[in-house]
Amino acid sequence: WTPAQAWAPFGCIKPSPFAKYPAASLDEEASEEGFHLPVLACLQGVAMAIHRGLYLPETFDDNVYSQVGRRDAEDLHYCTPTLAAFSAPSKTSEKVSPWASSKTAADYAPLFAARGIRDVVTLSEDSDDYPEKAFTAHGVRHRSLSFPEYGHPPCEVVEDFVALMRAAPGAV
């Protein structure tokens, strides 16, 4: 089925019972004011990821994804086979709730090295929480491509990121 065909039986329900997907942010104000992604757009994104080989349903392991992605575990999400995302490191390691722990860069670095992640890219303006030595001590290169938080990156940052992804010997 195409994304439109899959969504058609639900798209005619008015008002829609489906909540819009908010911007991915811990900042409530930014999430409320940010973009909202309709379900059809999500389905179209998944279809494109499958078409381009970025998501392989036949090899995707939900148990591993769920375990590795938990905030009290590794807090790591693979967006594609070669691109992982994680929460920003903290200055201290501590349990912040029953289901979440903060991690420092020194906590993340050995996890990245063990999973084949060879580059870390800092995209935030505040890079104090990403000390280069914490990563390089574990063979993980550190790059900084910062731009203002909650804004879009300028073209040169996007171009630099794409070039880094293409040249990376492992996951980023």
Side-chain angles (χ1 to χ4, degrees):
W1 289 29
T2 67
Q5 289 169 324
W7 175 246
F10 305 100
C12 63
I13 302 171
K14 302 294 182 209
S16 175
F18 301 97
K20 292 181 180 174
Y21 190 79
S25 173
L26 296 177
D27 182 329
E28 284 184 37
E29 188 175 316
S31 286
E32 289 299 317
E33 295 174 8
F35 69 93
H36 289 277
L37 203 55
V39 174
L40 179 57
C42 295
L43 295 172
Q44 290 167 330
V46 170
M48 181 59 70
I50 292 169
H51 175 73
R52 295 189 178 232
L54 299 173
Y55 170 60
L56 307 169
E58 60 277 0
T59 61
F60 181 79
D61 187 331
D62 184 54
N63 292 327
V64 170
Y65 182 83
S66 297
Q67 177 61 32
V68 170
R70 289 186 13 226
R71 292 278 316 265
D72 63 339
E74 293 181 42
D75 188 26
L76 185 64
H77 296 276
Y78 277 90
C79 304
T80 72
T82 58
L83 178 64
F86 66 104
S87 297
S90 299
K91 294 193 185 322
T92 60
S93 299
E94 59 186 293
K95 193 142 186 90
V96 294
S97 73
W99 58 88
S101 301
S102 64
K103 291 178 180 47
T104 65
D107 296 328
Y108 278 116
L111 298 173
F112 293 172
R115 292 222 171 254
I117 297 171
R118 298 291 173 245
D119 291 271
V120 167
V121 181
T122 304
L123 298 172
S124 65
E125 292 178 302
D126 180 19
S127 61
D128 292 344
D129 293 337
Y130 293 82
E132 186 173 350
K133 287 182 182 178
F135 294 104
T136 57
H138 292 275
V140 178
R141 293 183 296 190
H142 178 274
R143 312 293 177 89
S144 182
L145 299 174
S146 64
F147 61 93
E149 187 113 15
Y150 305 117
H152 359 84
C155 287
E156 58 271 7
V157 169
V158 174
E159 290 166 357
D160 289 348
F161 186 80
V162 170
L164 189 148
M165 288 291 299
R166 287 186 175 141
V172 176

